[in-house]
Every structure is written in C-alpha cells, then in structure tokens.
Amino acid sequence: MSLLQTVDLRRVFSETGEDLEILKGVNFEMETGELVALTGSSGSGKSTFLNLVGMLDTPTSGEILFKGKALSKFNDAERDRYHRVQVGFVFQFHHLLSEFTAIENVCVPGRVLGTSEKECKERAAMLLETVGLKDRLKHLPRELSGGERQRVAIARALMNHPDLVLADEPSGNLDEANSAMLNELIGELNEKFNQAFLIVTHDEKLASFAKRRVVMHGGVIQ
C-alpha cells in the first residue's frame, strides 16, 4: 500500500466570474520513507498540490489517499490527527514564534498534542542536536541565522514523528551555503528516521538529493 496517492486531482479557482484550473488531473504516488522532489516552473501548480495534500485546501474533484484511505472520508478526529501527527510542514519562511527559544519552538507541536513537558524537551533537544543546533537550544529566533532558523523549523516538523513531511521551497530564502547545508540535512534526516519527504523546490541541487524527481507542468505531473 502506498503512503500517499492522488487520483485525477483537480483544483479550480473562480475569480471575477472566470474559472482558473490550476490542477488538471494529477496522478501521483509515493511510498513510505521516500524522498521525492516536485519541480516545475512558477505557476505550474506545485504549491497548490502541496496545500491539497496537506489538507490546507480542498480539491475541486479527484481524490487523495493516505495509507489507502481517502482524506475526504476522514472524520474530525482523523483530520486532527493528520494535521498534528501524521504530517509535518516546512515552509520557505520558518514561521517560528519570536518570543520562544529554539527548544520551545520545537516543543510546540508536542505540547499541542498533550505530550508532557519533560518528554517534549527531551525529544526537541535530540532533534535540535540532530540538525546541528545542540548549542542553540535557548536562543531566540532573532539570535539565529536564517539557516539555523530553518533547521529549527525542520526539527519542529519532525516533533510528533510524522509519516510524511511536506516542504514548500525550504531553501528558497537561504543563501547558497545554507541551502547546501539544508539539502544535505534533509537527506540525512530521511535516512535516519525513514520519514517520507515531499519537497516542492526550484533548487536543482536539492532536487538532485531526492531519490525520485517528478516534474509538474501545466497542472499535471509529466
């Protein structure tokens, strides 16, 4: 059974009385532990696709299956678990809480889930050490570099042991050196934790790190 599958996925936006079809029947499949890069030109539908898979938006038609079950059939409890546990999110901008330290930011998903403070801090410290920030646990976001902030964001995404991490241009706001470091880190995390990564990226070097690369063009995967 595939971890994630989309079947004839379509998304139409209605603006000023006209329909704009962004996704035109996307069929896609990935397995547990896969590292997949989704590339394509701007406007091809990549981020829209990621938002649908992450249940941040609803498809116009078609279906998304996670571990064989259609997301459209999820009840409230299953939707909540999908957002909080089964899927982790990393965006181009880190979206860290400015008044929280690095370890406190990483703990947030665990605390929302009801995990004890002790367990949260132990896992957060382990994840921050894994991403190379063991000496930055008590630093605020403003005291961290752009690359360090993005590594905190990745650690946060891994907090609740997700099966799938969705990353939208994770290196898009970084310089070349930090982008290279992030690329290697994602590959290492994928190997270490056997968690699937679906990464939307324009970064050719990041795409080359993926075990599989798919290209979206004109609202379909080629």
Side-chain angles (χ1 to χ4, degrees):
M1 181 193 305
S2 300
L3 174 67
L4 177 71
Q5 183 181 8
T6 69
V7 181
D8 196 28
L9 196 65
R10 298 175 184 272
R11 183 66 172 100
V12 179
F13 293 92
S14 297
E15 298 180 0
T16 63
E18 296 185 5
D19 288 342
L20 180 62
E21 190 176 28
I22 301 299
L23 299 182
K24 304 176 181 179
V26 177
N27 295 295
F28 173 77
E29 197 167 349
M30 69 182 295
E31 305 298 326
T32 298
E34 253 198 303
L35 174 52
V36 179
L38 177 59
T39 64
S41 60
S42 296
S44 61
K46 305 184 302 300
S47 293
T48 298
F49 178 72
L50 210 66
N51 287 339
L52 294 178
V53 169
M55 294 187 83
L56 302 178
D57 189 15
T58 304
T60 304
S61 64
E63 196 56 86
I64 304 167
L65 295 95
F66 185 76
K67 296 184 176 181
K69 183 166 183 176
L71 298 190
S72 63
K73 306 297 184 185
F74 277 17
N75 59 33
D76 289 345
E78 288 171 323
R79 288 175 64 92
D80 191 50
R81 176 172 172 76
Y82 187 76
H83 279 132
R84 293 186 178 185
V85 179
Q86 294 175 309
V87 175
F89 296 89
V90 180
F91 301 100
Q92 180 175 351
F93 300 99
H94 52 78
H95 298 299
L96 299 180
L97 298 172
S98 60
E99 71 276 18
F100 281 17
T101 63
I103 193 168
E104 288 170 341
N105 267 285
V106 177
C107 280
V108 167
R111 298 310 301 273
V112 169
L113 200 62
T115 307
S116 71
E117 182 177 2
K118 180 177 183 294
E119 188 176 344
C120 279
K121 285 188 173 180
E122 286 176 352
R123 178 160 176 78
M126 180 277 290
L127 288 168
L128 286 168
E129 181 174 356
T130 301
V131 300
L133 296 175
K134 68 177 181 179
D135 297 325
R136 297 286 191 272
L137 304 188
K138 296 184 179 181
H139 285 60
L140 295 169
R142 65 174 178 270
E143 299 170 320
L144 301 172
S145 69
E148 287 171 336
R149 291 177 202 144
Q150 196 65 310
R151 282 186 272 161
V152 173
I154 290 174
R156 180 182 58 188
L158 298 177
M159 181 67 193
N160 287 338
H161 309 271
D163 298 295
L164 172 64
V165 177
L166 302 175
D168 193 358
E169 297 287 0
S171 61
N173 201 36
L174 302 178
D175 61 28
E176 186 174 348
N178 277 305
S179 292
M181 188 179 299
L182 187 75
N183 298 347
E184 292 184 15
L185 175 62
I186 288 174
E188 290 168 3
L189 292 171
N190 170 250
E191 292 289 340
K192 180 178 178 68
F193 296 114
N194 194 37
Q195 289 164 311
F197 281 77
L198 176 57
I199 305 170
V200 165
T201 185
H202 284 100
D203 186 338
E204 288 295 325
K205 291 182 179 178
L206 177 53
S208 71
F209 271 84
K211 296 173 183 175
R212 181 161 62 100
R213 176 177 180 169
V214 294
V215 179
M216 184 169 282
H217 179 72
V220 297
I221 287 180
Q222 297 181 321

